Amino acid sequence: MKTTTITLLLFVNFIGFSQQNINKTKMDITAKRTKIAVYTTSEGSNLKLSNNQNLLFKDAIQPLETQSCIFVNPNNKFQTFLGIGGAITDASAEVFAKLPKDKQQELLDAYYNKVKGIGYSIIRTTIHSSDFSSGSYTYIDEGDAALKTFNIEHDKNYKIPLIKKATETAGGKVTLYASPWSPPAFMKDTKNMLQGGKLLPEFYQSWANYYVKFINAYQKEGMPIWGLTIQNEPMAKQTWESCIYSAEEERDFLKNYLGPTLKKAALGDKKIIVWDHNRDLIMQRANVIFDDPEASKYAWGIGFHWYETWSGGEPMFENIAKLHETYPNKNLLFTEGCVEKFDPAKYQLWANAERYGTSMINDFNNGTVGWTDWNILLDDKGGPNHVGNFCFSPIHADLNKGELIYTPSYYYIGHFSKFIKQNAKRISSVASRSQLLTTSFENLNGEIVTIVMNSTNKEVSYYLYLGNQSVELKIDPQSIQTLVY
């Protein structure tokens, strides 16, 4: 009995000692934070990603119900951050080529330079044409199901040179993925690349081979393809290049053709992303594809856009949270978003930027690993676009004046992309008041990045709590802050 008691006491003491070490480790995480740098972009001011405050943490006290607070806990870690970026389309590349050389370099630095710019690390591009091209084209002669005429000479004029320059400016490495808008016309039941239509079953293998040809051709040019989406917006019949897949059709094309074909071509490491459409129907697509083991094994994750608001409703952020809860082992990637219906009078419309901030905070908090904007650059008409679907981009070019026009959206995106580094971990970040939105990441070097957004028309005073430390801050109306500590 005495021996048992001694053993029990030793065990209890060991557990207590171990718990003290765990607690000490947690305390050490917060004890390192002494200074906090605040970067702000604010409407009606000159603050644009400006380091306008440098503060010190103090010992924390119990917060009051009358205070607005943000609670950050780096001990609670979630998804690994892949990166943030935008799409290099034909339109972006064609506009870029028309800029003066100094403005070309300015644009490259603005997006891809980690010091001078906002540090983009993801590039999406198109597999042949999209609406943001000067016209429709493919990489083969019409009717060539054997793909004997396949070549990417078209892309060597504008798109490939810009991708290479962007990659070089980003330090020589980016996450590059590609998306098709439509198979060639002869492969579809409508015999038309535009206005929807479906891929004919007899061309499933030929179309799967087309992806292989594309990947190999780009990689031969020194541009490693990280991954691809199966089809851009597979439930939208658009006036531009588009193709419809039901959930079952996309599942079967993936598991019977695209997945096995990539594997056979020694390209099984390429990340395949399904859906690539809005948040509204995303759960049904996930259920059909991810619940099929043979299809699911080829799918790295699921991509989504933000255009579900076309119906008059609000963004369906909760659908992303529910999907992540249901399929926690599948990656979530925001693959496209832009402000539609270009109007040059709205270049500086703050609500456009706030749409970005709201979406990015919610999407990251719901498990998203990466976020890809649409065109990195458009002209002062919101194009070129061969069907007149003119839109906004974060930066526009006035080609008559040879100048770049920066919109507030550029700076809002930068509050995330400039500070959150690849392989960072999202950590717990919770606001006590609805006036503030927040998300936080911890970089690999231990640095914490907290984004705070205030879309109200009133200044908000708040406290940031980190363990046993806190700091008092203020955020202006219609503002976004990045806190680095």
Side-chain angles (χ1 to χ4, degrees):
M1 182 67 180
K2 184 176 180 180
T3 302
T4 304
T5 303
I6 292 171
T7 302
L8 182 60
L9 286 171
L10 288 172
F11 178 74
V12 170
N13 286 335
F14 173 76
I15 294 297
F17 178 73
S18 299
Q19 190 63 46
Q20 287 175 8
N21 282 343
I22 292 171
N23 290 337
K24 186 175 185 298
T25 301
K26 291 183 178 181
M27 293 299 291
D28 284 346
I29 290 174
T30 58
K32 295 176 184 176
R33 322 292 164 172
T34 55
K35 298 179 181 179
I36 180 168
V38 182
Y39 298 83
T40 302
T41 296
S42 183
E43 186 179 25
S45 77
N46 294 322
L47 298 175
K48 295 176 179 178
L49 278 170
S50 304
N51 181 194
N52 65 320
Q53 296 181 70
N54 290 282
L55 305 171
L56 297 175
F57 278 100
K58 298 179 180 179
D59 290 340
I61 60 174
Q62 171 63 42
L64 304 175
E65 286 189 328
T66 54
Q67 295 172 338
S68 295
C69 301
I70 289 175
F71 305 103
V72 176
N73 187 347
N75 294 309
N76 295 323
K77 292 179 170 60
F78 306 101
Q79 78 269 23
T80 301
F81 179 72
L82 176 67
I84 292 170
I88 293 181
T89 59
D90 287 310
S92 295
E94 290 167 23
V95 174
F96 177 83
K98 295 176 183 178
L99 285 170
K101 293 296 183 183
D102 62 327
K103 292 299 176 179
Q104 289 184 350
Q105 190 59 53
E106 180 184 330
L107 182 99
L108 290 168
D109 286 338
Y111 276 121
Y112 300 101
N113 189 296
K114 293 176 173 60
V115 177
K116 298 178 182 178
I118 60 174
Y120 269 13
S121 59
I122 291 179
I123 296 174
R124 184 191 190 205
T125 196
T126 65
I127 298 177
H128 56 236
S129 64
S130 70
D131 50 325
F132 279 93
S133 303
S134 294
S136 293
Y137 67 92
T138 70
Y139 301 128
I140 58 173
D141 292 342
E142 184 68 5
D144 177 19
L147 312 183
K148 293 180 179 179
T149 58
F150 189 98
N151 71 84
I152 56 169
E153 291 304 309
H154 176 281
D155 293 3
K156 292 180 181 179
N157 293 322
Y158 302 109
K159 197 161 57 172
I160 286 175
L162 179 52
I163 292 172
K164 288 183 175 180
K165 289 176 181 177
T167 302
E168 181 182 359
T169 307
K173 185 179 180 181
V174 295
T175 298
L176 173 63
Y177 71 100
S179 305
W181 265 241
S182 172
F186 74 91
M187 294 187 183
K188 297 171 67 179
D189 59 358
T190 56
K191 307 305 177 187
N192 185 0
M193 288 180 70
L194 316 185
Q195 299 284 350
K198 286 181 176 286
L199 175 65
L200 291 166
E202 57 263 36
F203 292 111
Y204 274 21
Q205 186 59 59
S206 182
W207 184 227
N209 294 341
Y210 200 99
Y211 295 82
V212 171
K213 291 276 192 181
F214 173 83
I215 293 171
N216 285 335
Y218 261 58
Q219 295 195 152
K220 188 177 180 181
E221 287 293 314
M223 298 179 297
I225 298 295
W226 170 84
L228 53 88
T229 72
I230 296 176
Q231 168 64 43
N232 179 73
E233 299 185 348
M235 286 306 297
K237 178 184 177 181
Q238 305 286 21
T239 58
W240 52 87
E241 289 87 337
S242 44
C243 184
I244 306 299
Y245 288 80
S246 69
E248 291 76 15
E249 287 166 341
E250 185 175 9
R251 175 198 66 197
D252 293 347
F253 177 67
L254 171 62
K255 75 175 180 178
N256 297 326
Y257 295 91
L258 184 58
T261 299
L262 289 176
K263 184 177 180 181
K264 185 178 180 181
L267 297 172
D269 62 328
K270 305 306 175 188
K271 309 300 188 289
I272 302 177
I273 300 159
V274 304
W275 186 228
D276 197 11
H277 205 163
N278 299 328
R279 301 183 187 100
D280 47 11
L281 299 179
I282 194 169
M283 199 68 193
Q284 186 258 349
R285 189 72 41 147
N287 289 338
V288 170
I289 296 176
F290 295 158
D291 283 356
D292 184 315
E294 288 305 305
S296 182
K297 71 181 182 183
Y298 293 114
W300 172 84
I302 192 163
F304 62 97
H305 302 180
W306 72 11
Y307 308 113
E308 68 270 11
T309 53
W310 68 268
S311 64
E314 295 298 316
M316 299 298 291
F317 298 125
E318 63 272 24
N319 283 2
I320 303 305
K322 291 173 182 175
L323 193 153
H324 184 55
E325 178 183 51
T326 307
Y327 301 102
N329 295 323
K330 293 299 182 183
N331 295 284
L332 294 162
L333 180 65
F334 185 90
T335 47
E336 185 186 316
C338 75
V339 177
E340 313 91 326
K341 299 179 180 178
F342 177 75
D343 178 353
K346 296 181 179 179
Y347 273 135
Q348 303 304 322
L349 182 66
W350 213 257
N352 291 347
E354 291 179 334
R355 183 177 180 185
Y356 277 91
T358 301
S359 180
M360 295 178 81
I361 289 172
N362 279 282
D363 290 336
F364 283 127
N365 284 345
N366 290 332
T368 299
V369 301
W371 214 91
T372 323
D373 188 34
W374 189 209
N375 301 277
I376 64 165
L377 177 69
L378 295 172
D379 63 21
D380 56 356
K381 297 178 180 62
N385 185 293
H386 70 89
V387 293
N389 180 36
F390 302 120
C391 298
F392 282 96
S393 59
I395 301 177
H396 286 262
D398 185 331
L399 295 176
N400 292 323
K401 297 180 180 179
E403 295 179 353
L404 296 176
I405 302 166
Y406 293 79
T407 74
S409 300
Y410 167 82
Y411 299 102
Y412 267 57
I413 296 170
H415 274 273
F416 301 79
S417 61
K418 186 175 180 65
F419 302 99
I420 309 168
K421 308 304 181 185
Q422 191 173 30
N423 295 317
K425 287 284 189 180
R426 184 175 68 84
I427 59 177
S428 178
S429 189
V430 179
S432 68
R433 292 284 183 270
S434 61
Q435 289 89 338
L436 300 178
L437 295 178
T438 182
T439 192
S440 291
F441 286 81
E442 184 177 21
N443 289 324
L444 289 179
N445 64 359
E447 177 183 73
I448 294 177
V449 176
T450 296
I451 292 97
V452 181
M453 181 174 152
N454 174 19
S455 59
T456 74
N457 59 5
K458 294 181 179 179
E459 179 187 84
V460 176
S461 296
Y462 68 98
Y463 288 84
L464 176 75
Y465 274 78
L466 183 71
N468 60 358
Q469 299 173 297
S470 70
V471 60
E472 185 176 6
L473 303 107
K474 289 183 180 180
I475 182 168
D476 293 333
Q478 274 76 52
S479 297
I480 188 168
Q481 292 177 335
T482 299
L483 317 176
V484 181
Y485 50 100

